[in-house]
């Protein structure tokens, strides 16, 4: 029998094995039916497509069997447990009851039920002739700490095929993460079809070659690299994610990180400073000097882009980047200087703020909210903007104190491209060492904030930058198992970092590694990289010592 509840990740708020009046276990078998009450039909379909596929059981719609999985929407759980994503799972005798304060809460409860069944429930087809799945009596009540529990997947630096993105949606859902932030455009590639401007993908989606490793590396992959998602591809991803209660937040970078767009449409760049027609999609890494020109032509072009983005993504949030925008070309550009004078701006930082504010207003008028990296604070924060605090905590602290919403994702703590251990075996070692325990002890809300300001931290996010991740296998290695630790940080109400029981978390991870194995995830094992996961001779950029808290 599965040792129910001892290895659940993320850890639920309350779990008990003694039920009122006493309880006995439950056996899932071919007679088990799903009793889907109003509003629960999508979760019932998901259970059949996952648990049903893994067990080989029909899980038919309820007709007359006494054995059933009862699915219900119970709004009262929101008040009792805390919010619309709350759920309760009860396993007792002939019944498994899963209640959710909303459909989202019900879905998270169904994910917990799947974990209770054991690792085999995470396969896509049965692997044994087993016909009965035993569960002991249990009561679980749970609700998340944060509303925004995100992972950023960078598909601009290295393109991931649609199937891999769909798999990652399932992986996020299995960990109760509910935001997939897709980094769709950068200097190294434009990944989303825009019908008004087809050269963005005809030209901007492809680069001639790729730097291997850190930008100081002498190695090159001389194969062309690229790819993009058609609008129908992306609608499929968005719909697939929505069925798993995950919001896909698109990022269209501006005004920096834009060389791929300028290579496709040279008039978007600072043509009075450089020959933008000579630019190609960038083939290396780092901060690129070629930024968008602050012209009416550029504004209109990106309004066209965002018009199509809004048609594809129902997300209330749209990310516009706003990070790492060097101002040298603007300082040298008569056109940019004329715009500064015309708008009465103090300097180039305020020019960037003017650019961001334009799209903040544009998105607000269409019922959406702008999100940007913490550089959007420079020159004045755009009204209504939400800040992704990446350079540390400081940007998020400043934004929260100014009354703006914040997603905490400090590079020093939750950038999953950073290396996982010391030593030469770690593939392409980037940044600080961030172990599984380090991520588990990450705290998204800094103590400097008072209660009202802390309430502005709407969530947290782990970022998966792919400059040195050329394949799904590399993404898996860098992301897991650390994303499991992050998921618990984002979902569970944990003690202060120093008081967290990492030893107990490690014990629970033993069972979770078996789930990841069943899902086919090429994670980093506790013993270090396997031979085929290493990248000998590929230069990284390790940073020694503990990361600063900034």
């Amino acid at each position: 029998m599965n040792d129910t509840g001892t290895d659940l990740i993320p850890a639920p708020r309350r779990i008990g094995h003694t039920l009122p009046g006493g309880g006995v276990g439950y056996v899932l078998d071919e007679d088990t039916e799903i009793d889907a009450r109003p509003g629960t039909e999508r979760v019932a379909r998901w259970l059949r497509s996952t648990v049903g596929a893994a067990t080989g059981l029909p899980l038919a719609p309820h007709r007359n069997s006494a054995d059933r999985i009862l699915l219900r929407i119970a709004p009262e759980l929101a008040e009792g447990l805390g919010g619309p994503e709350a759920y309760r799972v009860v396993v007792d005798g002939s019944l498994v009851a899963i209640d959710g304060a909303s459909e989202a809460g019900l879905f998270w409860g169904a994910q917990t039920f799947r974990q209770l069944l054991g690792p085999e429930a995470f396969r896509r087809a049965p692997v044994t002739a087993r016909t009965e799945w035993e569960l002991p009596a249990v009561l679980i009540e749970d609700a998340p700490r944060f509303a925004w529990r995100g992972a950023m997947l960078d598909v601009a630096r290295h393109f991931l095929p649609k199937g891999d993105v769909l798999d990652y949606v399932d992986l996020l859902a299995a960990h109760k993460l509910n935001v997939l932030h897709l980094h769709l455009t950068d200097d190294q590639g434009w990944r989303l079809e825009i019908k008004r401007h087809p050269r963005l993908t005809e030209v901007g989606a492809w680069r001639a070659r790729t730097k291997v490793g850190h930008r100081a590396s002498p190695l090159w992959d001389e194969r062309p690299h690229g790819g993009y998602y058609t609008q129908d591809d992306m609608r499929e991803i968005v719909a697939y994610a929505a069925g798993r209660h995950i919001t896909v937040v698109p990022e269209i970078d501006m005004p920096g990180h834009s060389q791929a767009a300028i290579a496709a449409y040279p008039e978007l760049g600072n043509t009075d400073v450089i020959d933008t027609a000579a630019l190609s999609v960038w083939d290396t890494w780092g901060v690129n000097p070629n930024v968008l020109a602050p012209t009416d032509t550029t504004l209109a072009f990106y309004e066209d882009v965002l018009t199509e983005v809004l048609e594809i993504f129902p997300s209330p949030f749209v990310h516009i980047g706003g990070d790492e925008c060097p101002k040298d070309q603007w300082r040298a550009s008569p056109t940019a200087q004329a715009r500064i004078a015309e708008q009465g701006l103090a300097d180039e930082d305020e020019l960037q703020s003017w650019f961001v504010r334009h799209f903040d207003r544009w998105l607000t008028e269409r019922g959406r909210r702008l999100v940007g990296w913490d550089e959007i604070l420079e020159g004045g924060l755009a009204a209504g903007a939400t800040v992704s605090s990446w350079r540390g905590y400081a940007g998020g602290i400043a934004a929260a104190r100014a009354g703006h919403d914040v997603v905490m994702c400090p590079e020093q703590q939750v950038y999953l491209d950073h290396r996982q251990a010391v030593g030469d075996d770690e593939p392409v070692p980037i940044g600080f060492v961030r172990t599984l325990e380090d991520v588990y002890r990450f705290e998204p809300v800094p103590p400097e904030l008072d209660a009202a300001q802390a309430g502005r931290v709407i969530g947290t996010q782990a970022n998966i930058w792919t400059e040195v991740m050329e394949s799904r296998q590399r993404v898996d290695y860098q992301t897991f198992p650390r994303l499991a630790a992050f998921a618990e940080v984002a979902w569970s109400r944990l003690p202060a970092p120093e008081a967290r029981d990492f030893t107990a978390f490690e014990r629970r991870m033993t069972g979770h590694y078996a789930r990841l194995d069943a899902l086919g995830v090429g994670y980093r094992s506790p013993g270090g990289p396997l031979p085929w996961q290493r990248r000998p001779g590929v230069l990284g950029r390790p940073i020694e010592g503990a990361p600063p808290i900034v």
Side-chain angles (χ1 to χ4, degrees):
M1 181 176 288
N2 180 36
D3 191 9
T4 301
T6 61
D7 62 357
L8 294 177
I9 289 178
R13 188 175 300 183
R14 301 184 197 122
I15 183 167
H17 295 274
T18 303
L19 303 184
V24 296
Y26 177 80
V27 177
L28 193 74
D29 59 24
E30 61 183 10
D31 293 325
T32 302
E33 297 175 346
I34 296 181
D35 185 355
R37 299 298 171 85
T40 70
E41 294 82 1
R42 282 204 306 177
V43 176
R45 286 196 297 272
W46 179 84
L47 278 170
R48 289 190 189 96
S49 68
T50 54
V51 172
T55 61
L57 302 177
L59 302 181
H62 180 61
R63 288 183 176 85
N64 53 25
S65 174
D67 293 331
R68 60 196 171 119
I69 301 169
L70 174 61
L71 306 179
R72 295 177 297 199
I73 304 298
E76 64 273 13
L77 290 178
E79 183 173 351
L81 292 174
E85 293 180 278
Y87 70 85
R88 177 188 296 125
V89 175
V90 180
V91 179
D92 188 12
S94 63
L95 179 70
V96 173
I98 308 175
D99 295 328
S102 64
E103 189 189 23
L106 184 73
F107 180 72
W108 305 130
Q111 288 284 3
T112 293
F113 169 67
R114 187 188 188 190
Q115 286 197 22
L116 294 175
L117 288 169
E120 286 184 24
F122 287 79
R123 296 190 179 275
R124 297 189 185 188
V127 296
T128 68
R130 181 178 176 185
T131 59
E132 294 185 343
W133 299 69
E134 299 178 55
L135 294 172
V138 68
L139 167 64
I140 299 169
E141 293 181 326
D142 203 6
R145 179 185 181 190
F146 291 109
W148 182 305
R149 305 180 302 279
M152 190 285 302
L153 188 57
D154 171 21
V155 295
R157 271 50 178 274
H158 277 102
F159 178 70
L160 277 181
K162 178 185 69 176
D164 289 342
V165 177
L166 294 173
D167 285 348
Y168 257 75
V169 169
D170 280 329
L171 287 171
L172 298 191
H175 292 82
K176 297 186 176 70
L177 298 171
N178 67 346
V179 175
L180 173 60
H181 169 181
L182 280 182
H183 183 73
L184 291 166
T185 74
D186 213 296
D187 302 302
Q188 296 86 3
W190 185 286
R191 305 294 177 219
L192 179 64
E193 175 189 30
I194 301 296
K195 293 183 177 180
R196 287 175 175 85
H197 302 295
R199 285 176 58 83
L200 285 171
T201 47
E202 291 170 358
V203 174
W206 308 93
R207 59 179 182 260
R209 63 176 187 168
T210 300
K211 173 65 69 174
V212 176
H214 184 255
R215 61 180 174 271
S217 166
L219 303 177
W220 292 90
D221 182 342
E222 297 293 346
R223 297 173 298 174
H225 177 84
Y228 66 93
Y229 310 103
T230 68
Q231 293 196 1
D232 282 346
D233 289 338
M234 193 53 67
R235 288 189 179 95
E236 179 185 356
I237 292 169
V238 167
Y240 191 82
R244 288 144 183 80
H245 295 278
I246 292 172
T247 299
V248 181
V249 175
E251 179 177 351
I252 305 295
D253 251 315
M254 60 178 96
H257 287 291
S258 297
Q259 183 161 318
I262 297 168
Y265 291 94
E267 64 271 21
L268 298 174
N270 294 284
T271 58
D272 55 351
V273 177
I274 64 163
D275 179 11
T276 57
L279 295 177
S280 59
V281 179
W282 211 25
D283 56 13
T284 190
W285 320 118
V287 178
N288 189 303
N290 297 304
V291 303
L292 297 174
T295 63
D296 292 342
T297 296
T298 300
L299 297 180
F301 184 97
Y302 275 83
E303 287 174 5
D304 285 348
V305 169
L306 291 177
T307 295
E308 296 192 25
V309 167
L310 298 190
E311 292 168 355
I312 300 166
F313 297 88
S315 165
F317 295 93
V318 176
H319 208 295
I320 58 88
D323 61 313
E324 295 180 331
C325 179
K327 310 296 192 301
D328 294 344
Q329 290 184 0
W330 287 355
R331 292 187 186 96
S333 164
T335 301
Q337 293 303 311
R339 180 69 83 182
I340 289 172
E342 167 202 317
Q343 295 293 323
L345 306 174
D347 54 21
E348 290 76 20
D349 283 344
E350 286 197 7
L351 180 60
Q352 178 170 341
S353 178
W354 168 84
F355 194 103
V356 171
R357 285 175 188 272
H358 174 89
F359 288 101
D360 181 54
R361 289 192 300 270
W362 191 91
L363 288 167
T364 299
E365 289 167 0
R366 288 154 182 81
R368 306 297 182 96
R369 296 182 63 186
L370 180 145
V371 191
W373 303 110
D374 55 52
E375 284 94 332
I376 66 173
L377 291 161
E378 297 167 3
L381 187 62
T386 296
V387 171
S388 299
S389 189
W390 78 271
R391 290 182 293 182
Y393 289 100
I397 292 170
R401 287 174 172 167
H404 292 267
D405 287 344
V406 176
V407 176
M408 279 293 183
C409 49
E411 174 187 17
Q412 301 85 354
Q413 278 73 42
V414 287
Y415 268 34
L416 299 186
D417 54 323
H418 283 216
R419 59 194 172 129
Q420 301 185 65
V422 297
D424 296 335
D425 285 346
E426 283 301 305
V428 200
I430 298 294
F432 295 102
V433 171
R434 293 286 84 198
T435 65
L436 183 67
E437 181 173 0
D438 291 330
V439 174
Y440 189 67
R441 296 192 188 281
F442 164 60
E443 172 50 50
V445 179
E448 294 93 328
L449 298 179
D450 63 28
Q453 295 162 355
R456 286 291 182 178
V457 180
I458 61 173
T460 184
Q461 183 168 290
N463 293 339
I464 306 160
W465 297 103
T466 64
E467 288 96 331
V468 298
M469 300 181 215
E470 75 284 356
S471 66
R472 164 70 184 274
Q473 289 75 20
R474 285 285 295 121
V475 173
D476 278 2
Y477 179 89
Q478 291 296 135
T479 303
F480 290 98
R482 293 184 295 181
L483 194 68
F486 173 80
E488 184 147 311
V489 168
W491 177 278
S492 305
R493 296 180 183 273
L494 299 175
E498 63 278 5
R500 293 175 189 172
D501 190 346
F502 178 70
T503 300
F505 177 77
E506 276 190 307
R507 284 197 298 268
R508 286 185 287 123
M509 278 301 299
T510 300
H512 198 65
Y513 285 124
R515 295 185 194 114
L516 295 178
D517 286 332
L519 288 164
V521 177
Y523 58 87
R524 182 191 190 276
S525 73
L530 300 170
W532 55 86
Q533 292 173 322
R534 297 168 186 156
R535 293 292 185 275
V538 179
L539 183 68
R541 185 183 61 91
I543 304 174
E544 302 305 328
I549 305 298
V550 294

